[in-house]
Amino acid sequence: MDILLILFSAVVVFFFAGVRIIFEYKRALKFRFGKYIKILNPGFRWIIPIVETVNIVDIRVITINIDSQEVMTEDNVPCSIDGVVFFKIDDPEKAVLEVEEYKFAIMQLAQAALRDVCGKVELDTILSKREEMGKNIKTIVEKETQEWGIVIIDVKIKDIQLPENMRRMMANQAEAERSRRARVILALAEEEAAQNLLSAGKLIDKSPSAIKLRLYQTLANIASEKNSTILFPFPEEVLPRNTKKLKTDSKEEKTKGKKDKK
């Protein structure tokens, strides 16, 4: 009886020792005496303990940070650049059998590609075209990882650290550029205002009554301030009128006088 109990216990332990639960987002490579057999799909799986082993691989999108790299740009500016790589295992068999520690291998490839790509362009290009730099790094890394059954989804440049003196110079440059733009905009505004004032002056000059109305409007605006007092030491008739009309009237009077004498 004791022997049967021992055998039964041994069978139960042996059975449960070989139980493997594989999740939907994972795949398991089955090995028997170290030789690859097949890929185990998600679900309840059983392997022969000791004789068979499994290597589980995650097939979801995996993220790896690219450690900060010291890069000398084409215009001899030292900077530290880091990024992130998004990849996914398309063929678990190749990812395990073709390369050792595929995460470490992808990280090393990404670091080398980042130094290579950023070292061939100027600093302004890196700052303004991060997305393009990421695509170039992705293209370089993807050539190697295709043989490993790994798909590179995207590569992003996260941060660019510049020396302190370079930051100050860039800040001064940006401030000078904004000051230049402000002066140009102010000059254009003054030019446009002068043109509008010239047009308005010509239009008002055609009518004496318009000049009076403009004067009254100006007085009304000034009178809105209660602490202001306005004095006019000359009559309104002294204001300039339409000289062309006065000349025409004088010519007509002279012509009329000559006719009366005749």
Side-chain angles (χ1 to χ4, degrees), residues 70-256:
E70 295 292 335
V71 179
M72 182 68 71
T73 61
E74 190 178 20
D75 50 350
N76 298 323
V77 178
C79 56
S80 299
I81 306 175
D82 59 8
V84 60
V85 180
F86 301 90
F87 69 93
K88 184 178 181 180
I89 297 177
D90 186 52
D91 190 343
E93 180 181 348
K94 291 183 178 180
V96 174
L97 300 180
E98 297 294 332
V99 60
E100 180 185 7
E101 294 293 337
Y102 57 85
K103 291 184 179 180
F104 179 76
I106 293 175
M107 184 186 299
Q108 296 301 313
L109 282 174
Q111 290 176 359
L114 187 147
R115 289 193 297 268
D116 184 39
V117 171
C118 295
K120 293 180 180 178
V121 297
E122 296 182 354
L123 178 63
D124 292 340
T125 304
I126 299 175
L127 295 174
S128 60
K129 298 182 179 179
R130 292 191 180 191
E131 186 175 354
E132 184 178 345
M133 296 295 100
K135 289 181 179 179
N136 294 337
I137 297 172
K138 174 188 172 184
T139 302
I140 296 174
V141 177
E142 205 169 27
K143 290 181 180 178
E144 301 292 336
T145 58
Q146 283 180 351
E147 299 179 358
W148 305 340
I150 298 174
V151 177
I152 303 297
I153 298 175
D154 200 1
V155 178
K156 297 289 186 182
I157 294 177
K158 292 196 302 183
D159 191 18
I160 301 173
Q161 296 290 337
L162 300 176
E164 189 64 29
N165 57 346
M166 182 60 64
R167 293 183 183 180
R168 288 196 298 268
M169 287 188 290
M170 293 179 69
N172 294 334
Q173 180 183 0
E175 184 178 357
E177 178 65 20
R178 291 186 179 275
S179 178
R180 183 188 69 83
R181 292 180 184 178
R183 292 180 181 179
V184 171
I185 293 173
L186 181 60
L188 292 175
E190 292 290 343
E191 181 182 359
E192 185 177 354
Q195 292 177 356
N196 292 334
L197 288 174
L198 179 61
S199 301
K202 291 180 180 179
L203 183 63
I204 292 175
D205 191 50
K206 294 179 180 179
S207 175
S209 56
I211 297 177
K212 291 183 180 181
L213 291 174
R214 184 60 182 169
L215 174 63
Y216 296 152
Q217 184 179 0
T218 304
L219 292 176
N221 292 335
I222 297 174
S224 62
E225 297 292 336
K226 297 180 180 180
N227 57 352
S228 300
T229 303
I230 304 170
L231 298 176
F232 283 90
F234 54 88
E236 182 183 331
E237 287 74 12
V238 181
L239 293 175
R241 297 182 179 180
N242 195 338
T243 56
K244 293 182 179 180
K245 185 176 181 180
L246 294 175
K247 290 181 180 180
T248 304
D249 294 342
S250 61
K251 288 182 179 179
E252 290 179 356
E253 290 178 358
K254 289 180 180 179
T255 306
K256 185 176 180 180

Side-chain angles (χ1 to χ4, degrees), residues 10 14 23 27 29 43 50 58 61 100 119 156 163 173 246 262:
F14 183 80
F23 293 97
R27 298 293 183 271
L29 277 72
I50 301 174
D58 197 328
V61 176
E100 180 185 7
K156 297 289 186 182
Q173 180 183 0
L246 294 175
K262 291 180 179 181

